[in-house]
Amino acid sequence: MTIELVDGKAGVAHISSEDKAIIHQAKFSKSDVVFDWGDAFKCSMSSPNRATIGTGCASIQGLDWHITAAESVTISNGSQGVKRNDIICAHYHRDSKTGNELVELTVLKGTPNATTAADPTIPSGKILSGAVDAYMPLWRIPLDGITVGTPVRLFTPKGALWDSVTQTCQLQWQSTVSFVPAPYGASNTIKVRDGLIFVDLSSFRSSVNVGNFTVWMFKSGVKPSKAVSLGCIANVSGIAYGKQATWNTDGSVVLIGGVGPNDVIQCFSKIIPVPDGVTFA
């Protein structure tokens, strides 16, 4: 039988971690999530070879896990004359014989390079497709020779459920000299809620001549998994045509078609549906 009342009494133990993952993915998205609880997995280097991860709560592919007391992981020594990036991950593992599951912290070691460090490949196992291992990246640890740099956070903590129903991308101007904001402008945000995208970009006057250009840069919040066409988001003052824009996977917004010196771009709020297959994290 493929229909199940997951939260109902069945007379036998029947609620599995798979049930939980399916329902959490449907409610809160398929993306890994770190919640704003405890220390939100704050990372500090307690020694050149030891990273300490603080308390926190998260979901890996719909399965919840947490740290209730600080945990430490070992960072392998660097080597003179080369750079390396290591990634601290939450590692989900299911024992293929017993079915028992656990999450623990692990370090994926990068490949040393004389000029530019690159992140190691994160294995892409899908738990609901039967994978026994899955990885959730948390922090990048950069090494330059034997010197360990400042840890780089690879996630944005989400607020409590009642605060996170609306997902927000906060934007900032690429340049307020090239693109002079209008007084009392809009919020420069793109918000996602209930399957809809709410665009609120501020009007501006251009002092430059550019073609398709990233007018708004990502500041904080969520990014789309695929580039999203926002359609027509503005009119050009005194000219009988509008301006379209694209919301990129890096969170930035490109204005399409170019602007010239003294063009006044009059942006307006709009609402569009979330395109099929697009998620936000």
Side-chain angles (χ1 to χ4, degrees), residues 8-53:
K9 180 177 180 180
V12 295
H14 70 101
I15 301 175
S16 67
S17 62
E18 181 184 32
D19 292 326
K20 192 170 184 295
I22 290 171
I23 291 171
H24 276 215
Q25 285 190 11
K27 286 181 177 180
F28 310 128
S29 91
K30 297 179 181 179
S31 302
D32 296 336
V33 180
V34 173
F35 301 103
D36 189 8
W37 180 86
D39 294 327
F41 300 139
K42 180 180 178 181
C43 180
S44 59
M45 298 303 299
S46 50
S47 75
N49 298 101
R50 204 76 174 158
T52 298
I53 305 297

Side-chain angles (χ1 to χ4, degrees), residues 164-231:
S164 61
V165 172
T166 298
Q167 297 175 286
T168 301
C169 173
Q170 181 65 59
L171 300 162
Q172 60 188 1
W173 296 103
Q174 188 274 343
S175 167
T176 55
V177 175
S178 298
F179 312 109
V180 182
Y184 310 109
S187 63
N188 277 346
T189 59
I190 300 176
K191 297 185 178 182
V192 182
R193 184 177 69 247
D194 298 331
L196 298 173
I197 296 174
F198 299 79
V199 184
D200 189 38
L201 301 176
S202 185
S203 301
F204 66 93
R205 176 178 57 81
S206 173
S207 63
V208 293
N209 186 8
V210 293
N212 295 354
F213 198 80
T214 304
V215 174
W216 293 275
M217 306 293 291
F218 176 79
K219 183 177 182 181
S220 63
V222 299
K223 305 174 186 177
S225 62
K226 301 177 183 177
V228 175
S229 172
L230 300 178

Side-chain angles (χ1 to χ4, degrees), residues 69-190:
E71 294 274 346
S72 294
V73 292
T74 300
I75 305 299
S76 299
N77 287 329
S79 301
Q80 290 283 5
V82 296
K83 303 176 187 293
R84 193 182 85 222
N85 285 346
D86 290 356
I87 302 294
I88 300 174
C89 294
H91 173 209
Y92 161 92
H93 177 70
R94 175 173 54 83
D95 188 296
S96 58
K97 294 182 179 179
T98 65
N100 292 341
E101 300 164 290
L102 59 80
V103 168
E104 58 188 357
L105 296 178
T106 191
V107 178
L108 299 181
K109 187 176 178 180
T111 301
N113 187 281
T115 54
T116 304
D119 291 349
T121 300
I122 308 296
S124 57
K126 299 297 183 184
I127 296 170
L128 289 180
S129 296
V132 298
D133 292 285
Y135 295 82
M136 178 178 176
L138 299 173
W139 291 89
R140 176 187 299 116
I141 307 298
L143 294 97
D144 187 347
I146 61 173
T147 302
V148 179
T150 301
V152 178
R153 191 173 67 182
L154 301 178
F155 60 88
T156 300
K158 305 294 184 185
L161 176 59
W162 49 86
D163 295 326
S164 61
V165 172
T166 298
Q167 297 175 286
T168 301
C169 173
Q170 181 65 59
L171 300 162
Q172 60 188 1
W173 296 103
Q174 188 274 343
S175 167
T176 55
V177 175
S178 298
F179 312 109
V180 182
Y184 310 109
S187 63
N188 277 346
T189 59
I190 300 176

